[in-house]
Every structure is written in C-alpha cells, then in structure tokens.
Amino acid sequence: MNVPRDERMQSIVGGDDHDPFSYLGLHHDPASGSYVVRVYRPGADQIAVLNRSSGAEIAKLSKVHDAGLFAGTIGKEGVDYRLSVDGRVEEDPYRFGTILGDLERYLHAEGNYLRAYEKMGAHPTVMDGVEGTSFAVWAPSARRVSVVGDFNHWDGRRHVMRLHPGAGIWEIFIPEVGAGARYKFEIKTQDGAVLLKADPFAFQAELPPKTASVVSADAKIGAVREATGKGPSSDRHAPISIYEVHLGSWRRIPEEGNRALSYRELADTLVPYVKEMGFTHIEMMPINEHPFGGSWGYQPTALFAPTSRYGSPEDFRHFVRACHEAGIGVILDWAAGHFPSDAHGLHLFDGSYLYEHSDPREGFHPDWNSYIYNFGRNEVKGFLHSNALFWLDRYGIDGLRVDAVASMLYRNYSRKDGEWVPNKFGGIENLEAIDFLRRMNELVYAEHGDTATIAEESTSWPMVSRPVYLGGLGFGYKWNMGWMHDTLQYMSKEPVFRKYHHNDLTFGLIYAFSENFILPLSHDEVVHGKGSLICKMPGDLWQKFANLRAYYTFMYTMPGKKLLFMGADIGQWNEWNHDASLDWHLLEHKEHAGLNLALKDLNWLYRNRTALHQKDCEPEGFSWIDCNDTEASVISYIRRGNDPDDFVVVVCNFTPVVREKYRVGVPKAGSYYEAFNSDSEYYGGSNVGNGANLKTTGQAVHAQPDSLCLTLPPLGAIVLVPEGR
C-alpha cells in the first residue's frame, strides 16, 4: 500500500514526535470543517470508531501508513468515542486531557512541588469515567519519551507521552492499565540513542535482579500517618534508644534456602523482640529499592519504593503499623547524597546530566563509584524534598537518618587537590547542599513536628543540630562519631595500658553538649575487617564479656541518646554479613544470654530513670565526680533530671581488679542502693558489688558534701540511686 508520507506522519511512526497529542486522537480540521480521528497501532489491521454510549460504529479508519497509522473523518461534530481494534474494544489514550496543572508544573520547576509524588510517576486513577493509570516523568532533554510495558509489548511507538516544554515533564494516561503492571520509560535522546529507565517516582519495583517499575495500588492511598499511628516521642528530653537493623539479615530461615524474613514476618518477630529488649526505636538501614544487595541499600535506584525483597508496599506499611502498636518508633536510613550508575537508574536519565553534575569533580563520588545529586538544581532539590516528606506522609515514618552528610557538605570530601571545584567564594563548603539540607529540615519539622532528623556527620561542622534560624543545619540530632571512635579505641586496649589512654574515655565530655548527640555503635564498626564488638574487647572469654557489659553501662549512662547495631545485643563473634542471619544460637550460652539480659536491663533503666535521659543534651544533666583517677582507670559521675533531687551516681572500673573501700563523693547524704551492676551473676559476672543500704560516711570528697565507701567490681560499672527514688 503506497500512501504519501508527510513529515508529521514520519515523526509519529518513527517514534520521534514530542507532541503526539496534537496529531493523534480526535481533532477538528478547519479546512473541511469535519472531525478527524487518527490512531497509531503498530500491527493492527482494522480500526473503527464507536459511539461510546450506543456502541454503534461511527466510521472505519483507513490505514494511511504501513507502520500502523490509521485516520478517518467522523462528521461535523465531535463525539465521545471508543475504538475497535481488530474487533477488540479499546480506549484511545490520546483523547484524554492533561495530568499536571499549570501550578503543579510551575512548582516543579521552582523546586517547591513538595507533594510531587501525588502526580509524578504512575498512579492508578479514573479519568473521564475510564479506569487506567496516569504516568508522568521529568526528562527535559529527551527527544521523545514513551511508557513501555507488558501492556504494549514493550513497544515504544505505542504510548508516546505529551511534553510540557516549560517544565520538561512528559505525561500520558493509559486506559486499562492497573496495579501490578510492569513498566519503564523508553527515552530517545537528542542524539537518537534509546534508553530504558525505571521510574524515579515508582512506588514499587520488581524483585532484583529484575529492574522494571511496577504500578502500585499503593499510589491511590492518601496520607496514612493517622492509620499507621506514630511512635514514641523523639523529643530531646525523652529516652531514645535505637536498635539499628538490616532487615534482610536480622534473622533468616535456613530450612527455606536461607531466605530473609518478609515485612510481615518481621512484624511478628523483630517487633516483639525490640519491645521486650526495651529499645524505643528501630532504625532500618535503607529499604529503598536497590539493585545490589551488597550496597546494604545505600545505592538506591527507587527512592519512593520499599524494596520488594521483603514484600509489597502494603506489607511494609503493616510492619510500620506493628511497630507503632508496640510503642516503637521507626527511623529510615535515607541515602540522599548519591546514586548508583546502573543503566536503568538516574545516571544520564534523559541522555543529559539531569540529576547529577556534568563535571566529575562535582558529580562523581570516588569512594562509592556513584553520582552526586546536583543540589543546585531546583527540580532535583524538589525531588528529594518530596521524597523525604513521602516517607513521613505515606508510611508514618518517625524519623530520617541522613547518610553521609559530611560528603554532602564539603566539595573536597575524599578528594585530592585538583579533583574538586571550589564554591563561588573559593571555599570548600558545598553551599547548594547546605541550603538543601536546611530546607529539608525546615520542611520536615514544619509538616511533622513529632518526627526527628538525624545527621551522620563525621567532622566538626558546627551547629549541625541547631535551628536554621540560628545558622544551624536544622537537624534534630547528630551521631557522635568522635565518641564512638575514642571510646572503642580505649576499650580495645589491654586494661594494664588503659591508664595511658584515659583521655579517650573522658575527652568527649568537652564537646558533649555542642550538639544534640546520639552515641552510636553502628554497623560501620563491625564490618570490613574491624571485627565485632565482642572481638574488640581484650582478655579471655570472661574478661571480654565483662568489658563489653561495662562499656554498655558507660554508654547508657553517658549524656546522649543511644544506638546499637544488631548482633551487638547478643555478643556476636562474627563480623556482620548482609547475606547471613545473626547467630541467634549463641543465646544458648550463658555469657551471651547474660550480655543480652544486661542490655535489656540497661534499656529499661535508661527509660525509667529520668535522670538518665531528661537532660541528655544539656550540660546541667552531667557532672564529673572524678575523671582523673588514671592510675586505677576508674571514672565516676552524676546524671541529673529536671528535679534537682533526681540524680544517679555512676562508677566505672575498667581494670580486672576488685577495688575495696573505694571512696566516691556524692551530692547528698543518706542511703543508696545499686540500681544496676554490670558484674551481677545474672549477667555472667562475678557478683562483686554493694547491694542495698549503702550509707554515706559524712566525709566530703571530690568537691561533694558527702561520700560512699564502695567495692568496685572488676571490669564493672555500677549505678547508684538514693533510697526512695
């Protein structure tokens, strides 16, 4: 069939047209005064136009191009119509209107489309009474963008999208496509290359190693924070004790091929365990969909999709709901600093450097072989801000722990001279990233004041957890990486040498209140050859466990909120392996069971004793009794609550020597009792201690009005409380 081919026909059938809606579908022809219907269906033989209400045939369309382009007139008036394609009744996607309005497109370009996930991506919806799915994607440099999937045989000619030139957004409503459909965006670049990209806003993705996005029924759900409930307070005066978890390796089922637990199974097992242990929050290592399990989630390709490794979005929502019903908060580890180079991901998304910088000195991260977001681009900032709010809005997440903040703040982070680009003032600060983080924190706290943002920031950048209006970055909390490094270094020393490193134990109090700190013993300390926490402890088996129990007591009685990575709660010997379960069988041994019980009791002590948490972030909540007994490697201090009479006394002995008649000053005369002793026989200790009815001696010491004469357990720590408190 030889039919004349005009230039517009060629752009349509060649899959190059950026505005197919102006040609395909129903259009008025001013020259003839009639209405014309044009349909492009590669592979079709016959197409007819049907009256929607009556089903009667209005006109048969003629094939005007061998590639599958059909056209025909239907009269002087338009009509609500459907199509019959080779006998199958279908809707014409090119008869539907726009998805995003002018204001939404404007806000997107401005970087202030804060609920972009409500329209961008794939959304099952009803348009003009027809069920289907709307699709929208940002790809301003593309020559053409199509939606491809099983529903159109992955043929990029079938559903070419409409471009909004000013915003660079492409969109289309595809009838009869619903939840569960697999899809990608087929993008033709300016140089003619064809890319297959997953949806940056996808709510669900295929199970890796497959890479398609999945239309999710979850996209129809509105704000559900009320439905999932919320966790305990994240206020700095409240107790916060965080259990850091990699969901895929907390527990596995060897009888079923070593498979990981699902979100629902974790709701039935992890949540009760965390509740019993007394932790207030679960912090999940990133659960955003990621192609490579060995990245632990820190190289995400679908920031809006909970990984399908453990179930569906609704399954994940069930897990969050179970946490909240148990009184446990949920913190999401949020990797917003960089993204991987996978072909289906954000890198060169539309053939241009869209989400990343074009200059590798700004856009490529040498440590992780990943790409750095261009925080100076409005649409990129809006994408990430929208994602931060999404997890709080749609899943009721109680906090965001922002990964690798230091790498975002410094332009020369992990770079040699000549490998980085100074800011406009010639400095090392990434001004655009600073603005991005400040705005993110402002938005989170304005929209969800009961949540918390937490910075993993490893440098001395000032005022990370201070309000933006005071010049800070606006985070609620900051990980105290210095405390973690110094104290682990101290604990790894043989006790005989600790007196030469006493400063490692005490130095952190010099800056302890410069930020709202969390004391972290995180996953970073038990990987890459560093050894597990119990392996870092010196001595024989008994001494290792005694050291670790004393260290945990020190941690839980120091100022600052607490975080402990899974496995450290059972004294795991092996380094953490993301492909294997924790060694739960170790709890069959008394040393491991004792450590686990000690940690449980410390959690509840920390939660129930207001003196140990009300002023975690304020200097009034801590004072040294004696931090200078280097020869004995003993420290003693006071923790206070809001009530002046609400205090506890803590004494830590970091040598394996029982110290008799050790005098410690106390702020009040009277009787005291041991509220906790890390050397208790219940925990596997030697049961050296003081019991109850300890009476002050009337002797002032350590600048305190009275004192106690104590027996200090070997490699042990005790917490003393006045009688009646």
Side-chain angles (χ1 to χ4, degrees), residues 435-474:
D435 289 342
F436 161 76
L437 291 169
R438 284 174 169 164
R439 180 61 174 154
M440 183 273 295
N441 284 312
E442 287 178 331
L443 290 170
V444 167
Y445 283 106
E447 302 266 344
H448 299 286
D450 56 347
T451 61
T453 59
I454 303 165
E456 186 217 10
E457 204 285 309
S458 55
T459 74
S460 57
W461 188 280
M463 301 179 68
V464 171
S465 58
R466 295 295 181 258
V468 171
Y469 65 82
L470 293 178
L473 291 182

Side-chain angles (χ1 to χ4, degrees), residues 264-286:
R264 291 183 180 270
E265 289 171 324
L266 288 162
D268 294 336
T269 54
L270 172 62
V271 172
Y273 173 78
V274 170
K275 180 178 181 179
E276 180 184 358
M277 287 296 293
F279 291 99
T280 62
H281 292 72
I282 292 173
E283 179 177 309
M284 302 171 297
M285 292 172 71

